[in-house]
Amino acid sequence: MKRRNFIQKASLSTFGVVASASVVACNTDKEKNNVSSIVNSTSVEPIVIATWNVPNATAKAWEVLQNNGSSLDAVEQGCMIEEADVKNSSVGKGGAPDRDGNVTLDACIMDKDGNYGAVMCVQNITHVISLARKVMEETPHVILAGKGAENFGYDLGFKKENLLTESSKKAWEKWKETSDYKPVINIENHDTIGMLAIDHNGDISGACTTSGLSYKMAGRVGDSPIIGSGLFIDNEVGGATATGMGEEVLKTVGSFLIVELMRQGKTPQEACEEAVRRVVKKSGDRYKDFQVGFIALNKKGETGAYCIHEFFNYNVYKLGENKNYESLFYNQI
Ligand code: ASP
């Protein structure tokens, strides 16, 4: 069939109606007015929420906010705490390596204006969250990968380091004895740090940093550095971030989905639940063998979290009922 005929046929049979179409431009001012009614920006107290139990990281982010820092600085500095912690085997230095024994990191950051920066498959630089921020602020690009990202970092003065610690190396050598790659729920070491914060201006930013799945194939990139999947922020609505089996989050663009559901009126909790249901539905029976967890925050400072299986947890730093700021740990079971 000739292409022209095919298109005509498709127009008739697939889409039913063939109409002469003209493109109607959006009325920008009207659209903006609609948006501001969603925002309804009342004064909101600062808040930090992060995947997993990372009280030191949320406390650091909170300290930044308390000193009138921006939500962007808060999430960056919060994530840096975990990146530097060699005991955290799924983020930064001390992260589990890939099958070849190389630690490769992914990270992204998104600000209140919708700017975004990400790095992926970076070796030898601990603070990839800061490198992602540099991509966002100092390049015309959004993502840098591999050697290009690393060299960009070295040019900026980022330290070159060996990220494979003795204990990660030992665990990898043990794993190599069988090289069994069948992630087990919650044991495949996915403790990606996704963090969302609102500052004193009511602005939301988010960050996400990870070494990805332990013993992944060389070159594998998960959801964490991908806009809309591992993280998404829309300062008019809220933000969301993910942890768990990146391949599944990628296929449902989970964080973007949650933000859009909140835009349509769902609470962060409802939106997280809907996104998890979507992941489960799309996976057939496979969901039984993987974990995915989301956290979300809206413009009003409301939070939500949901996961497929038990043992996902998250940490919130916010103003408590007694008017003291407190670090709350939620175990999702
Ligand atoms: N989502 C991460 C990835 O797939 C893993 C994690 O959450 O730790 O790379």
Side-chain angles (χ1 to χ4, degrees):
M1 190 185 296
K2 288 205 171 89
R3 182 178 147 75
R4 187 187 154 88
N5 290 344
F6 171 76
I7 290 171
Q8 276 178 351
K9 236 191 157 64
S11 303
L12 288 166
S13 60
T14 314
F15 307 117
V17 180
V18 181
S20 74
S22 56
V23 178
V24 182
C26 92
N27 178 337
T28 314
D29 288 339
K30 197 170 150 209
E31 295 285 322
K32 278 192 176 151
N33 288 340
N34 285 345
V35 165
S36 57
S37 64
I38 299 171
V39 177
N40 186 21
S41 167
T42 49
S43 80
V44 171
E45 289 295 335
I47 182 169
V48 182
I49 179 169
T51 53
W52 306 107
N53 188 22
V54 285
N56 295 338
T58 50
K60 179 68 196 178
W62 172 248
E63 186 190 309
V64 173
L65 296 177
Q66 203 173 28
N67 292 327
N68 257 324
S70 68
S71 52
L72 187 66
D73 287 339
V75 292
E76 179 190 4
Q77 291 187 37
C79 284
M80 287 171 75
I81 296 288
E82 293 303 315
E83 289 177 338
D85 182 356
V86 291
K87 288 197 263 12
N88 186 332
S89 63
S90 45
V91 174
K93 193 169 185 171
D98 63 17
R99 293 177 194 189
D100 301 340
N102 297 311
V103 180
T104 62
L105 306 181
D106 300 331
C108 72
I109 196 159
M110 193 161 187
D111 74 7
K112 66 180 175 59
D113 299 315
N115 297 310
Y116 184 85
V119 292
M120 47 182 75
C121 239
V122 170
Q123 288 184 45
N124 304 313
I125 290 179
T126 299
H127 293 301
V128 278
I129 199 65
S130 305
L131 190 57
R133 182 168 176 177
K134 292 290 183 192
V135 171
M136 177 174 84
E137 292 179 340
E138 296 187 17
T139 79
H141 305 305
V142 169
I143 300 173
L144 289 182
K147 285 283 164 238
E150 269 175 63
N151 291 337
F152 171 63
Y154 302 143
D155 287 348
L156 292 171
F158 281 75
K159 207 162 91 189
K160 184 168 185 171
E161 292 178 88
N162 176 15
L163 305 183
L164 187 65
T165 55
E166 265 318 299
S167 67
S168 294
K169 192 171 169 205
K170 275 202 186 111
W172 170 64
E173 280 164 350
K174 177 106 193 88
W175 171 81
K176 273 203 303 180
E177 288 169 12
T178 54
S179 299
D180 191 12
Y181 188 72
K182 186 178 184 302
V184 180
I185 298 168
N186 294 317
I187 306 178
E188 67 270 57
N189 287 330
H190 47 67
D191 288 358
T192 293
I193 304 306
M195 188 179 283
L196 311 167
I198 298 184
D199 59 28
H200 279 99
N201 294 327
D203 289 325
I204 304 180
S205 301
C208 191
T209 183
T210 190
S211 52
L213 295 183
S214 307
Y215 318 131
K216 60 195 174 185
M217 290 174 70
R220 180 265 188 190
V221 172
D223 60 313
S224 305
I226 306 295
I227 187 166
S229 289
L231 174 74
F232 195 71
I233 303 293
D234 186 328
N235 196 35
E236 292 160 359
V237 178
T241 184
T243 183
M245 190 57 76
E247 282 72 6
E248 306 299 332
V249 177
L250 280 162
K251 285 186 269 186
T252 45
V253 200
S255 294
F256 180 74
L257 173 63
I258 290 170
V259 172
E260 288 307 299
L261 289 168
M262 293 195 292
R263 189 193 304 281
Q264 289 161 24
K266 292 214 185 306
T267 63
Q269 185 59 36
E270 289 167 344
C272 287
E273 289 178 17
E274 176 66 30
V276 166
R277 276 196 291 272
R278 183 82 58 94
V279 171
V280 167
K281 188 171 163 211
K282 296 278 174 193
S283 79
D285 266 356
R286 286 180 300 105
Y287 75 92
K288 293 176 185 157
D289 296 324
F290 65 78
Q291 173 69 302
V292 164
F294 292 108
I295 58 171
L297 174 66
N298 72 9
K299 222 29 201 174
K300 291 189 241 168
E302 296 167 335
T303 59
Y306 206 59
C307 56
I308 302 176
H309 303 285
E310 60 185 355
F311 302 130
F312 169 54
N313 48 53
Y314 63 103
N315 192 215
V316 176
Y317 214 96
K318 68 174 183 182
L319 187 64
E321 275 167 19
N322 58 3
K323 300 291 170 204
N324 287 328
Y325 282 95
E326 57 190 21
S327 177
L328 305 170
F329 173 61
Y330 296 90
N331 221 344
Q332 189 92 29
I333 46 174

